[in-house]
Amino acid sequence: MRPGAVVLALSSLVVLGAGPPAPSPPLPARMTDTGGGTQLITAVAPGRASTTGTVTWWDLRGGRWVKAGSAPARFGANGLAEGASRKQGTNTTPTGLYGLPYAFGIKAAPRGTAYRYRRVHRDSWWCQDNGSRSYNRWSEPRAADCRAAESEHLITYGERYAHALVIGFNYERPVRGRGAGIFLHVNGRGATAGCVSLPKRAMRTILRWADPAKRPHIAVGTASGTTAVTRY
């Protein structure tokens, strides 16, 4: 056999024996941290200036993360910003890994919801006043030191707050000026003021899926770069 024919034959054997490339690990398996629970929500935007992306919810089964569902997402009108250095009033969605303290809504919790769920009433507010002791907390009625102009009167948000989950950004030990009132909630007409929003049907599905015993967290980030969701 000619030397060239031998090389060609060997090359063919290599190609035939290579097989298809191994599938990429699921997104949570590529993350630095998932919060230690067996449920996770990822909210991923293509880039920091993006106002749209995808929310996916995952279950850890038998040591492997399995996608339970996904939906289109909306982010802040000015895109996303590193959560540790974000500034209040910038209309950016903070990136990072966060707990989900509790759920709330103007409407009753979907049947099957296991998460602690707080109903919104006429005097329910979320304080965003940096000078208040109730900063970044539900206040019912509105605290005397929390100005209405620096707070969200929750019932006035209508369908957007029909159902929501509190995202634990700047929540455990609030830093004044970093931001308050970051939620996972139902879509409005467009981009958000910093929250993550998704269609109502998906929000209701997530509330029925989320199990506090499984310690779900949410990871918010971009597909790549310094705010990549895999860094959190």
Side-chain angles (χ1 to χ4, degrees):
M1 183 180 290
R2 288 178 295 122
V6 173
V7 172
L8 182 59
L10 290 173
S11 300
S12 299
L13 288 173
V14 171
V15 172
L16 289 172
S24 176
L27 177 58
R30 292 181 275 120
M31 291 174 56
T32 302
D33 188 7
T34 57
T38 58
Q39 286 188 329
L40 179 70
I41 301 171
T42 55
V44 184
R48 291 184 66 159
S50 303
T51 60
T52 60
T54 304
V55 164
T56 307
W57 47 107
W58 308 81
D59 289 299
L60 185 62
R61 300 175 186 167
R64 181 175 175 81
W65 286 100
V66 179
K67 184 169 77 171
S70 65
R74 291 175 179 165
F75 298 98
N78 288 323
L80 295 84
E82 175 63 56
S85 57
R86 179 187 183 268
K87 301 297 183 184
Q88 185 165 325
T90 56
N91 289 340
T92 55
T93 298
T95 62
L97 177 69
Y98 306 107
L100 297 162
Y102 61 92
F104 70 90
I106 293 172
K107 295 186 177 180
R111 187 183 299 274
T113 299
Y115 235 74
R116 182 164 74 93
Y117 191 91
R118 191 167 187 177
R119 287 295 297 274
V120 173
H121 301 108
R122 292 280 174 190
D123 57 352
S124 302
W125 295 75
W126 195 275
C127 183
Q128 300 181 354
D129 189 336
N130 282 282
S132 174
R133 288 173 294 177
S134 299
Y135 179 69
N136 203 19
R137 289 292 186 271
W138 183 294
S139 184
E140 188 176 322
R142 179 171 52 83
D145 68 346
C146 186
R147 294 169 292 171
E150 298 294 327
S151 305
E152 289 191 358
H153 192 191
L154 299 177
I155 203 162
T156 65
Y157 283 75
E159 197 67 12
R160 285 171 290 175
Y161 289 173
H163 306 294
L165 271 165
V166 176
I167 294 176
F169 165 73
N170 201 30
Y171 187 79
E172 293 299 325
R173 295 180 179 85
V175 176
R176 312 287 168 159
R178 184 154 293 167
I182 301 298
F183 312 128
L184 179 68
H185 66 74
V186 177
N187 279 342
R189 293 182 178 178
T192 73
C195 295
V196 180
S197 73
L198 68 171
K200 184 176 182 180
R201 184 174 181 178
M203 188 70 235
R204 289 175 62 86
T205 297
I206 286 175
L207 286 176
R208 287 190 292 263
W209 160 86
D211 182 350
K214 296 180 179 179
R215 295 181 295 159
H217 285 67
I218 184 168
V220 183
T222 52
S224 60
T226 58
T227 52
V229 73
T230 50
R231 294 181 59 247
Y232 301 110

